[in-house]
Amino acid sequence: SSELTQPLSVSVALGQTAKITCAGDYVGSKNVHWYQQKPGQAPVVVIYRDINRPSGIPERFSGSTSGSTATLTITRAQAGDEADYYCQVWDTTICVFGTGTKVTVL
Amino acid sequence: QVQLQQWGAGLLKPSETLSLTCAVSGGAFSGYYWTWVRQTPGKGLEWIGEIKYSGRPNYSPSLKSRLTISLDTPNNQFSLKLISVTAADTAVYYCARGPPDKASALGPWGQGTLVTISS
């Protein structure tokens, strides 16, 4: 089954750009979705199908893929972006989550 | 706007059965995969399983032997039962709506239920 590896943590200065990677053998051939989870809250999708933003998600959030790595980019990072972020794919019928990345805004 | 509201016992003893229910309101019940996900304290997300309206359930291989997910279609609800729980099953459990085509993201999600297994 798929394994999705993310960096444990990413730090970004206020107003700067953060990039969170998600690496796995099947990333290049499957849609990748990204979730933001703040403490005590349920996850919320910020990017679906690699590059699409749900309504209500700021344009500062964008997704991309290259080879076997997907990337979530947060531009002009704000204090409110501090959260855990998870990537996710469907491995045939099984849902696989990435290991998760804690984003700290300095 | 689709909303998921979940409930169930929050404190269990080892060997007991974990039971949670999730009610869906504000949208269609048919056509989607109704899903359970859990998150152990301080750790990541783990997919537990799902069930589709008029379909067979689909379980995580690691939990399959202890797990039952079922639908209560007239009441737009779905449930999770996990038997013979241990401390390793202590987690926040979430219900969520899964996409019909397995090509999009999970959402919306329930508010989560903390289930603690302790003697």
Side-chain angles (χ1 to χ4, degrees):
Chain A
S1 63
S2 292
E3 291 184 354
L4 300 175
T5 302
Q6 302 179 231
L8 194 59
S9 62
V10 168
S11 296
V12 58
L14 189 68
Q16 297 304 303
T17 298
K19 289 183 181 291
I20 306 157
T21 56
C22 172
D25 290 342
Y26 298 103
V27 164
S29 59
K30 297 183 183 295
N31 292 313
V32 178
H33 319 293
W34 290 94
Y35 302 86
Q36 175 193 69
Q37 186 182 31
K38 296 183 178 180
Q41 298 183 19
V44 172
V45 60
V46 292
I47 294 291
Y48 66 96
R49 297 188 185 182
D50 299 335
I51 61 171
N52 298 282
R53 249 180 307 105
S55 60
I57 300 301
E59 291 182 7
R60 301 183 297 100
F61 289 84
S62 63
S64 62
T65 61
S66 178
S68 61
T69 300
T71 300
L72 174 68
T73 300
I74 308 172
T75 57
R76 302 184 302 280
Q78 299 180 0
D81 299 333
E82 198 162 275
D84 293 327
Y85 291 84
Y86 295 90
C87 58
Q88 178 252 315
V89 300
W90 293 99
D91 181 7
T92 56
T93 60
I94 303 295
C95 172
V96 179
F97 289 101
T99 51
T101 299
K102 181 175 180 60
V103 170
T104 301
V105 180
L106 304 173
Chain B
Q1 178 181 349
V2 177
Q3 291 187 319
L4 280 67
Q5 180 76 28
Q6 60 183 101
W7 64 89
L11 180 60
L12 297 171
K13 291 181 169 53
S15 80
E16 292 186 333
T17 296
L18 185 160
S19 294
L20 297 173
T21 299
C22 184
V24 180
S25 61
F29 195 59
S30 62
Y32 293 95
Y33 285 92
W34 300 103
T35 304
W36 291 97
V37 174
R38 71 181 182 181
Q39 185 170 34
T40 50
K43 295 291 179 65
L45 300 169
E46 177 186 9
W47 181 80
I48 295 172
E50 65 189 8
I51 189 166
K52 192 171 185 179
Y53 181 84
S54 75
R56 290 172 57 185
N58 182 29
Y59 300 144
S60 167
S62 64
L63 296 170
K64 188 173 183 177
S65 63
R66 300 191 290 131
L67 182 62
T68 302
I69 296 176
S70 58
L71 285 174
D72 177 4
T73 305
N75 291 305
N76 281 12
Q77 296 177 1
F78 62 107
S79 297
L80 162 74
K81 287 192 191 308
L82 184 68
I83 66 171
S84 305
V85 297
T86 70
D89 295 311
T90 293
V92 176
Y93 287 75
Y94 294 98
C95 58
R97 187 181 72 174
D101 57 0
K102 292 293 182 76
S104 196
L106 292 166
W109 296 59
Q111 78 278 18
T113 300
L114 174 60
V115 178
T116 302
I117 312 301
S118 175
S119 56

